[in-house]
Amino acid sequence: MKVDRRSFLGLGLGAAAGVAVSPALVKLTDDSSIWTQNWPWTPVPEDGEITYDKSVCSLCPGCCGISVRKINGRPVKIEGDSDFPVNNGGACLHGIAGLQYLYDPARVKTPMRKKAGKFEAISWDEAIDLAAQKLGDIRQNGAPESLGLVTGTREGSVSKLFNRFMDAFGSPNAYAMPSLEANLALTAQTLHGEGNTIGFDLENSDFVLSFGAGIIEGWGSPVACFKANASRKERHAELYQIDPRLSNTAANADRWIPINPGTEADLALGLCSVLLQKNLFVPGQLTGGLNRFTAVLASEYTPQKVEAITGVKAADIEKLAMAFAKAKMPVAVPGRGRGDQGQSLREFAAVQTLNALAGRLNKEGGAFVMPKADYLTFSEASMDEVAETGAGKEKLANSIDELIEKLSASAKPLVNALLVYNANPCYTLKTPERVKEAFKKVDFVVSFSSFMDETALASDLILPASTFLERLEDVPSGAGLAKQVVGLARTMVAPVFNTKNPGDALILLAQAMGGTIAESFEWETYDEALEAAAEGIWDGLNEEGYAVISQGTPMESPATDFAFMASNPAPIRPGCEGEFILMPIDNMRISGSAVASSPFAVKTVSDKVLSGTDVLVEINPETARAKGLKDGGSAMLKTQVKSVKVKVNYNEGIMPGVIGMVRGLGHAFDNPYVAGKGVNVNDLIGPVIEPGSGLDAAFGIKASISKA
Amino acid sequence: MSEIENKDENGSMDGAEECTADGPKDDKGLGLGVIFFMVAFLICFLSGWLLFPKLLYSKKEQPFNFDHALHTAETGDCETCHYLREDGTFAGLPNLESCMECHTDEPMGETEDEAIFAQKYVAKEKEVPWLVYSKQPDCVYFSHAAHITKAGMDCKTCHGPIGESTSSRPYEENRLTGYSRDIWGKNIWGIKTNSWDRMKMDDCAECHKEETGHQGYCFQCHK
């Protein structure tokens, strides 16, 4: 017997066939695929005891209750809290992604000071000493009014503590960033008197006339708005959306009324004019210049004239006014987009005047004029002589935008030091380059930020703030809600890095400054300060996690003062030169405010908005074709401020001549998942300050576009 | 014709002759090839079937023997120890604290296993490191509540008559994946006779298809 080549072949084939028909191959294939899933570097969530703790989200002014799912005490998921009166279990995509902010790559992990243009880590003691010394010098020089403050809002105990610090220090120069709540408070103050704000009873109204308000795009308290909108069909309530663009809200509405950008106020006044002319108004408590106002309307805002301004047909204006007057529970809602940026008092007041004339103030389903939720009581801050003198000086400006204007224009330094809390003016204000330049003129900028954002990068000292999941804080609802609720954000997890509650950092700073400033901050911790200040509601707030300050229709109908509207304030028109109007668009998936979108939220943005790192601008195909622009093609978008490269997105739903660009992209800080994508629309727009109110009312800018 | 070419020709001729001469031998060679084939086939086939599982799985013993039958006789059901929490999540294996609701650090019975439990774990307040036969990969999301409460399924359908067992069988761990043999099933071919024999994705899908008419979407279980 001779073993030859064929025998070996037989052996090999036999072995192969044997293995092939045995279960080993199938089994091994299956197991190896599982084996790869278990490679030791694959992250595996820890197993353990599951608990749920309640807190409140403060990423936006919405004030939604959240329930944080934890495993062995580690937060792993955020859900809406079904017991919370604002959101009733709902949550938005920013809220559910809140955990990502804990581990954000751009987080400031420890106090930092800027030395020779570079940041270096320092200890909390060093940081507080440095700040106390710098601020002490300012007081020593007898110019306490040259300390400035910028906070996100004026509401809530932390902002109030910052304002208290300014009082004790002796500076009147405390400013808040533009916000819907501030705009509503200013409107209420102008029309109904000091100390008031306005809420809109969207969930009970049967006819919502929205002047561009992005009801499902983040206006007000977003989840409360989604819910009110979602129940519209079963309530047989109608929504009319006045908007130059078919936004999601407009697409969801019963009727979309396209309008020339920035002429919403004129349409509101046109509607008022029809109501007065047809005697359809409700004679309530209408005081102060109604006659003059009527005369202004009769001469300047006849339907024909309004048609010429707004592009809405005169006949339609009359029909719309009739529909509004005849509806059972109509309400007009101001504030285009999210209602925070690029807004004018004229527009807010015009829309609220429509509510007043139609007798919709403090009626179910209408607009509620109510006193601001005043649940915090701080004693008067102690003030020494320096503070008294400084506080007596006149404020440098009416608004943050005006302040930046003045800082830019002035040759000598107006502000020697600036505290920034919960705000990112070097990104969110118009022409951020201008803001950064103004910041450079300030000798010492202290940022109380959680992230190394654009403003933190432009500051000299960072006292890193714990995020909303790492600290206790009261969160008042302040965004056009009909009911006033204060939620309690609780410490869901110990600070991940060497950060502090800004309230605690401020107390440390005040104590380091000594004297009457330390006296004004006698608390050991911020938690103690909050408990003392919120004493009246503390038990309920602590137990339930929220306190309802006011709910339901306010009893008395307020008086409306027409003096402001009777003065026929000048409209704001987009500045500069160009064939088109560039208009920022608010998109629910992208945050345009101080806290940037989470990586998760950015991932959900459509590639019709952001494609790779390119931003797409919406253009009506008619406009685009005339300029030779192809759908998806590149283009140069140019305004007087800047020109940028963009991509074109044909959209039949935007008025010809209007270019829409999403707000909230183009961040420039160290977070590869969020920054470096698209363009910051604010880079392209210059501010237009409304006289009197000080609001930056630039809702857009003239622009030109050409093939790139 | 040159010498070399001649040689070459002769050489090849030699080969041809040999080939012809070895004709019958060649047949034998083919036969041997077949035998080799069959032997190799059989060896590989049998080892793949019989030896391979022995190599693939390592056997581990539980920390001590657990008598399910004894416990179910006492408590009357599975849910006393393996319960759903109020929020619908499944508590899984009872922890030491749950066991201590009945047990103390003195054994209640006389079994050796209970003595081990009392001395090694209860006295030292140490959790028992049970080996879980039904542990699924972490990428699998499974809701017990949806199956037990909503669909009214019996524990047995997936876990088999484990409640009737008087002793813990050895835990066979797949050396490659680290999961229990119960997931693939005892049968190396993956053939099952009972619904509880296997716990692979296809088994979930099969039952879902039967019960709901749809085998389910990826994201229902992979979250």
Side-chain angles (χ1 to χ4, degrees), chain A residues 6 10 14 30-31 38 44 52, chain B residues 26 37 41 138 174 177 200:
Chain A
R6 288 180 196 183
D30 189 82
D31 284 354
N38 292 342
V44 175
Y52 290 87
Chain B
D26 191 45
F37 176 89
F41 178 86
D138 290 307
N174 187 313
T177 66
K200 292 284 290 179

Side-chain angles (χ1 to χ4, degrees), chain A residues 443-455:
Chain A
D443 183 43
F444 186 60
V445 180
V446 187
S447 166
F448 294 76
S449 173
S450 301
F451 312 101
M452 193 59 102
D453 57 23
E454 289 83 353
T455 304

Side-chain angles (χ1 to χ4, degrees), chain A residues 505-525:
Chain A
L506 193 68
I507 290 173
L508 286 178
L509 176 59
Q511 283 165 355
M513 303 231 18
T516 43
I517 301 182
E519 270 172 42
S520 304
F521 287 80
E522 54 189 356
W523 311 279
E524 295 260 310
T525 61

Side-chain angles (χ1 to χ4, degrees), chain A residues 505-629:
Chain A
L506 193 68
I507 290 173
L508 286 178
L509 176 59
Q511 283 165 355
M513 303 231 18
T516 43
I517 301 182
E519 270 172 42
S520 304
F521 287 80
E522 54 189 356
W523 311 279
E524 295 260 310
T525 61
Y526 161 77
D527 295 4
E528 200 183 287
L530 171 63
E531 191 176 336
E535 201 190 352
I537 56 163
W538 181 255
D539 288 344
L541 185 64
N542 196 26
E543 213 164 281
E544 295 285 326
Y546 64 87
V548 179
I549 309 283
S550 75
Q551 187 167 30
T553 326
M555 290 293 285
E556 278 172 35
S557 188
T560 307
D561 184 345
F562 287 90
F564 173 71
M565 290 318 293
S567 71
N568 195 14
I572 306 292
R573 299 285 179 237
C576 307
E577 296 294 310
E579 272 179 86
F580 306 109
I581 293 177
L582 169 68
M583 204 182 71
I585 296 167
D586 283 330
N587 179 319
M588 186 57 215
R589 295 166 192 273
I590 310 172
S591 156
S593 61
V595 181
S597 311
S598 60
F600 168 74
V602 172
K603 271 284 169 205
T604 68
V605 175
S606 150
D607 59 5
K608 286 277 186 190
V609 174
L610 178 70
S611 162
T613 57
D614 295 325
V615 64
L616 284 94
V617 293
E618 291 184 9
I619 310 179
N620 191 294
E622 196 185 299
T623 311
R625 278 192 205 107
K627 281 277 153 194
L629 301 172

